[in-house]
Amino acid sequence: MADTENSTSSTVSAMRFARVLMNVTYPIVSAYEFDFLQEERIIQERWDASTIYLIVQRPLTYFDNVVLDDKYIRFEIADGDKPPLPCRINLVAAGICQVGESIDIQIGFYSDKANTQQPIRNVGALKLYRENGDFILWWSPQKLLYEMLVKGLEVEIAEGFDPHCFLDFKVHYIGKSFSQKVWDRLTGHNKMQRILTREREVGRAPEARAPFEISLLILQITGVDDMPMIGGDADHPMAGSNPIVLTLDDNDESLERFMTQSNVHMGDEALTREVEAYLINLFKPTYNEILFNNYPNITGGMRSKGYSWTEVDLESVPAFLYTDCFSMVPEVD
């Protein structure tokens, strides 16, 4: 009788972690500004891949004491509460125009009571045009702060003043958009309308109104770092609570596939679901009904893809975000 040999395959444990990167592709805009910007093709292109949005509020910021001369635009950023931030921009040094080039600067106001006598008070926006009428750019105070802090716009500010003082936003609601583009999702958004109806202005600016203070922070998932680890177990410091420990066949083909093939890719809904649940669970905004108290154990998130732990990083978001439950100060490159 021939001897028989029982063949057994060996296995190895493994775990998978991820880091999801979030970014803004356009500055924070008020609900009032969004009503105009959502129709602009170039703005839609900037928001095209964005799937997460925050409805936030802070006291209305405005330009005050604006003075225009041949070399500088001088102004203060104010909100009627904090000490104004004195600023000036040399348009040539900032790369906006050439030496000797004539620039037309149009002033926008929140009210119908426009004034042109310098220093110009209570200004909502500045629009710059070339002499032939070609549009160059526009600035609201929030857009200018974003371009200065994130994009490197050369703005001179008075010594001892901190521009971050005007970037504190209370988070009212966090949402996601899959089947619709984010600008369509937010058009007629019932939570947005409820917030605009129920929330009163919080600032003391002369033109403070809820539609000017309620704003949108629109986020895009810009990257995902997949971090597979062979040999991990439930006691690993990165495993988190209720870790997912996988079992792999201990052979070259299986191990190489695990190490080189990510379980999620850009555009996967699991990424957006994970980020939305993560942020809502942290901030617990007043107008969100589902607070994901069991996070990270959510339906359709990263754990459903086999990830034991996921870190979410907000990059280049120059805002202090807070609720009564949590506050966040994202790092800016």
Side-chain angles (χ1 to χ4, degrees):
M1 180 176 179
D3 291 336
T4 60
E5 183 175 309
N6 292 326
S7 61
T8 60
S9 60
S10 61
T11 59
V12 62
S13 64
M15 287 192 293
R16 193 178 287 277
F17 312 111
R19 177 172 175 256
V20 181
L21 306 179
M22 298 292 298
N23 212 324
V24 290
T25 57
Y26 200 76
I28 297 171
V29 297
S30 69
Y32 176 80
E33 292 164 341
F34 176 80
D35 191 49
F36 297 97
L37 292 172
Q38 64 179 319
E39 303 296 335
E40 297 291 334
R41 180 183 58 81
I42 190 170
I43 307 301
Q44 291 181 356
E45 290 174 357
R46 297 277 291 275
W47 284 335
D48 186 62
S50 299
T51 56
I52 297 287
Y53 57 90
L54 282 68
I55 303 177
V56 299
Q57 184 176 10
R58 81 165 313 276
L60 173 66
T61 47
Y62 58 97
F63 296 119
D64 205 14
N65 293 315
V66 178
V67 175
L68 312 176
D69 61 35
D70 293 338
K71 187 175 181 181
Y72 288 100
I73 303 176
R74 306 172 192 271
F75 55 89
E76 297 173 345
I77 293 177
D79 64 4
D81 184 18
K82 297 183 174 70
L85 175 69
C87 305
R88 68 180 188 179
I89 299 177
N90 182 318
L91 296 180
V92 174
I96 295 168
C97 67
Q98 303 297 318
V99 175
E101 182 180 0
S102 179
I103 296 294
D104 179 29
I105 301 176
Q106 294 186 7
I107 308 294
F109 299 91
Y110 286 114
S111 72
D112 295 330
K113 298 178 181 178
N115 65 84
T116 56
Q117 183 176 355
Q118 299 190 44
I120 306 171
R121 308 296 307 278
N122 305 323
V123 173
L126 302 171
K127 295 183 179 181
L128 278 62
Y129 296 84
R130 304 208 182 278
E131 195 171 15
N132 63 3
D134 288 347
F135 175 72
I136 303 174
L137 56 81
W138 74 283
W139 286 315
S140 67
Q142 288 298 331
K143 187 170 184 288
L144 186 139
L145 288 169
Y146 169 85
E147 293 181 357
M148 176 176 65
L149 295 170
V150 178
K151 298 299 184 181
L153 174 67
E154 189 170 326
V155 180
E156 300 176 41
I157 63 174
E159 186 176 354
F161 287 82
D162 182 6
H164 293 89
C165 290
F166 297 92
L167 292 164
D168 52 326
F169 291 87
K170 183 174 183 179
V171 179
H172 288 309
Y173 181 80
I174 298 170
K176 65 180 182 298
S177 179
F178 284 138
S179 57
Q180 291 178 295
K181 296 298 184 181
V182 69
W183 57 87
D184 290 328
R185 176 78 177 93
L186 286 164
T187 302
H189 192 285
N190 67 331
K191 287 292 174 65
M192 170 87 91
Q193 298 306 313
R194 185 178 299 177
I195 292 168
L196 286 169
T197 300
R198 296 185 179 183
E199 295 298 322
R200 299 182 62 84
E201 60 272 12
V202 296
R204 293 184 291 180
E207 303 300 332
R209 303 288 186 277
F212 301 154
E213 294 185 344
I214 304 295
S215 299
L216 293 165
L217 173 59
I218 299 177
L219 295 169
Q220 177 181 335
I221 296 172
T222 54
V224 55
D225 294 334
D226 189 86
M227 296 178 281
M229 183 180 68
I230 294 174
D233 58 36
D235 294 327
H236 191 277
M238 289 179 60
S241 60
N242 191 23
I244 299 173
V245 181
L246 307 171
T247 300
L248 307 177
D249 291 333
D250 191 7
N251 60 67
D252 292 343
E253 181 181 352
S254 176
L255 299 181
E256 181 180 3
R257 183 167 58 248
F258 177 79
M259 293 299 294
T260 59
Q261 297 182 10
S262 175
N263 287 4
V264 295
H265 302 279
M266 293 295 293
D268 196 312
E269 289 189 4
L271 294 168
T272 294
R273 294 184 187 279
E274 184 75 20
V275 171
E276 181 203 32
Y278 168 79
L279 292 175
I280 291 174
N281 177 253
L282 281 181
F283 286 103
K284 295 179 172 50
T286 303
Y287 288 87
N288 280 94
E289 297 169 0
I290 299 173
L291 299 180
F292 297 99
N293 291 322
N294 292 327
Y295 179 83
N297 300 305
I298 64 170
T299 302
M302 293 291 281
R303 287 180 63 84
S304 69
K305 299 288 187 176
Y307 289 84
S308 183
W309 169 86
T310 301
E311 176 186 357
V312 178
D313 282 355
L314 272 67
E315 298 184 318
S316 300
V317 182
F320 171 64
L321 305 173
Y322 72 94
T323 60
D324 293 339
C325 297
F326 186 76
S327 60
M328 177 184 289
V329 185
E331 295 183 2
V332 178
D333 294 338

